[in-house]
């Protein structure tokens, strides 16, 4: 039996074990806490191996139809990925596990080579009932320089459009869009030079890039919709002009646009000497021609802040009054106190997003 009177300084073997276990547990917990802090810090600063930035990204579901195979649902509206697959690289992993990725697209039709950021919602990548469904596409265009980044994908000072799309879909406000977020210009506009998202003679064909090459990239890599019912634009300032103009110029391909604080007419200095081509890219002219042709119907949502340049609000209201009838459906949201920036537009976009989403199709559950 144990000694009832152990000598001074004596500690039982059991107590020593308990003390060691306690110290060991404290040490493990300290290391775990330090490791968590280290992971967060190194992940924030994108220090390998604590980040997946740059890793290859695939948006396929495990049971996805492969290019050339029939859709499981037999839905004739669905366009399966046509290929070839692009080499998407991860830019950021969202809290829900979805990825924003980037690829440098060599535009076969425009001849321009530039970056496009893409994102697919969780419903596209993980939900079995949408495994063979076609999803609508929104091509989101920045304002400002529009090169060599696109602030809609959540860069510092920008707006995380993909997070908002997920939230709006869960709230029943918007469609679960696939997002394409390309550069808008082929170079910086720091000298007052911009390309008006158009094929200006003698310049890179940015109109073809935005209306053909970027959509082709999405068709090659994602399940989309064959008709214009699943295609829309959104943009701010010059990107708003590009969105407005693209839908009016090609109403057979695109059905809707959200134009935030847009320019209404082309005004790049690069148009000098090319009045006919400039006219062919003028939303006012295009809207008039569409009305004369009696369609097809397009849907144009506008956002303008009350603290923007007064000419912006005046021009938008004039456009709506003059051309917003017949096949050209328009609606304006005035943002009280709003200024001319993407953060203002993004924070107030739920109304325009619902209005635009109500006009578009997809995705239809396939199971």
């Amino acid at each position: 039996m144990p000694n009832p009177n152990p000598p001074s300084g004596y500690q039982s073997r059991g107590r020593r074990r308990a003390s060691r276990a306690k110290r060991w547990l404290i040490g493990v917990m300290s290391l775990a806490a330090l490791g968590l802090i280290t992971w967060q810090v190194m992940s924030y600063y994108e220090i390998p191996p604590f980040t997946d930035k740059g890793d290859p990204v695939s948006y396929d579901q495990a049971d996805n139809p492969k290019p050339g195979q029939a859709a499981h649902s037999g839905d004739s509206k669905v366009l399966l990925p046509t290929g070839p697959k692009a080499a998407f690289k991860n830019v950021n992993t969202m809290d829900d596990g979805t990825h924003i990725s980037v690829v440098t697209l060599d535009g076969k039709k425009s001849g321009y080579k530039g970056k496009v950021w893409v994102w697919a919602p969780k419903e596209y990548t993980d939900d079995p009932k949408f495994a063979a469904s076609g999803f609508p596409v929104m091509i989101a265009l920045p304002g400002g320089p529009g090169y060599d980044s696109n602030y809609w994908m959540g860069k510092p000072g920008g707006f995380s459009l993909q997070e908002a799309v997920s939230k709006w879909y869960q709230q029943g406000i918007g469609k679960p869009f696939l997002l394409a977020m390309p550069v808008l210009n082929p170079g910086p506009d720091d000298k007052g030079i911009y390309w008006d998202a158009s094929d200006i003679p003698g310049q890179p064909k940015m109109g073809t890039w935005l209306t053909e090459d970027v959509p082709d990239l999405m068709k090659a890599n994602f399940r989309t919709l064959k008709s214009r019912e699943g295609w829309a634009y959104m943009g701010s300032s010059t990107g708003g002009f590009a969105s407005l103009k693209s839908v009016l110029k090609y109403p057979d391909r695109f059905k809707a646009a959200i134009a935030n604080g847009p320019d209404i007419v082309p005004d790049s200095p690069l148009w000098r000497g090319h009045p006919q081509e400039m006219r062919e890219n003028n939303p006012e002219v295009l809207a008039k021609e569409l009305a004369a042709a009696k369609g097809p119907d397009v849907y144009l949502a506008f956002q303008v802040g009350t603290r923007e340049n007064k000419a912006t609000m005046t021009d938008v209201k004039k456009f709506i009054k003059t051309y917003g009838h017949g096949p050209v459906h328009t609606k304006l949201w005035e943002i009280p106190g709003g200024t001319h920036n993407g953060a203002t537009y993004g924070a107030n976009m739920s109304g325009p997003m619902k209005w635009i989403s109500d006009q578009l199709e997809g995705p239809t559950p396939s199971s």
Side-chain angles (χ1 to χ4, degrees):
M1 63 180 293
N3 184 352
N5 299 300
S8 177
Y10 174 85
Q11 187 179 37
S12 71
R13 192 174 299 171
R15 289 177 62 192
R16 287 200 303 271
R17 287 175 179 164
S19 179
R20 289 172 183 168
K22 184 177 180 181
R23 290 197 299 271
W24 179 84
L25 180 60
I26 292 172
V28 169
M29 291 177 66
S30 299
L31 286 172
L34 181 61
L36 179 61
I37 294 171
T38 301
W39 179 87
Q40 291 174 330
V41 170
M42 298 186 79
S43 178
Y44 178 82
Y45 287 105
E46 298 174 346
I47 301 173
F50 298 91
T51 177
D52 57 359
K53 183 175 181 179
D55 288 352
V57 173
S58 172
Y59 292 97
D60 294 334
Q61 286 199 25
D63 60 346
N64 244 6
K66 299 298 187 290
Q69 293 180 339
H72 298 324
S73 65
D75 190 344
S76 61
K77 296 180 180 180
V78 177
L79 178 66
L80 294 178
T82 60
K85 286 189 174 183
F88 293 117
K89 298 295 184 182
N90 192 38
V91 172
N92 191 18
T93 300
M94 311 304 294
D95 290 342
D96 64 359
T98 59
H99 299 282
I100 305 169
S101 64
V102 67
V103 67
T104 299
L105 172 63
D106 190 354
K108 302 303 181 186
K109 295 178 180 177
S110 67
Y112 174 68
K113 189 175 184 177
K115 292 181 180 179
V116 183
W117 290 263
V118 304
W119 175 82
K122 204 168 185 67
E123 290 74 25
Y124 183 95
T125 57
D126 294 349
D127 194 331
K129 71 175 177 290
F130 292 123
S133 302
F135 277 64
V137 176
M138 177 167 283
I139 300 172
L141 305 175
Y147 178 91
D148 59 347
S149 63
N150 184 318
Y151 55 61
W152 291 115
M153 59 95 174
K155 292 180 75 65
F159 176 78
S160 184
L161 181 61
Q162 57 281 341
E163 290 183 1
V165 167
S166 289
K167 179 186 71 175
W168 290 327
Y169 176 64
Q170 296 301 323
Q171 294 174 346
I173 291 173
K175 291 284 193 294
F177 288 100
L178 297 166
L179 294 178
M181 299 172 277
V183 297
L184 179 62
N185 290 324
D189 69 350
D190 54 0
K191 295 181 180 178
I193 300 297
Y194 46 96
W195 283 258
D196 267 343
S198 302
D199 291 359
I200 300 175
Q203 299 294 326
K205 295 182 177 180
M206 300 312 292
T208 299
W209 157 259
L210 293 171
T211 60
E212 297 194 47
D213 289 331
V214 172
D216 284 349
L217 172 70
M218 300 305 287
K219 293 174 184 177
N221 291 276
F222 297 92
R223 303 183 309 278
T224 57
L225 294 168
K226 292 178 181 178
S227 78
R228 74 189 194 107
E229 301 294 325
W231 292 85
Y233 280 87
M234 186 277 290
S236 301
S237 194
T238 301
F241 166 83
S243 300
L244 177 66
K245 190 262 296 208
S246 296
V247 172
L248 289 168
K249 191 174 180 69
Y250 301 108
D252 57 326
R253 303 182 205 169
F254 312 104
K255 188 176 182 181
I258 300 174
N260 305 300
D263 303 323
I264 294 296
V265 297
D267 59 0
S268 169
L270 296 172
W271 287 115
R272 193 171 294 116
H274 306 289
Q276 180 57 36
E277 291 86 351
M278 183 176 178
R279 176 180 171 82
E280 292 168 356
N281 287 275
N282 187 331
E284 294 181 337
V285 174
L286 296 169
K288 185 177 180 180
E289 292 175 347
L290 186 60
K294 299 183 179 179
D297 289 53
V298 296
Y299 295 82
L300 309 172
F302 295 89
Q303 282 198 111
V304 181
T306 59
R307 292 178 57 197
E308 292 195 47
N309 186 324
K310 290 183 178 180
T312 302
M313 185 75 78
T314 299
D315 290 346
V316 168
K317 287 184 175 180
K318 180 182 176 183
F319 178 90
I320 291 173
K321 181 178 180 180
T322 307
Y323 305 105
H325 50 77
V328 182
H329 304 269
T330 60
K331 192 165 183 177
L332 170 63
W333 280 261
E334 297 186 34
I335 304 173
T339 55
H340 191 74
N341 64 77
T344 291
Y345 304 132
N348 292 276
M349 206 184 300
S350 59
M353 183 62 70
K354 184 178 190 313
W355 190 72
I356 289 295
S357 292
D358 287 345
Q359 321 307 325
L360 298 171
E361 287 188 4
T364 301
S366 54
S367 62

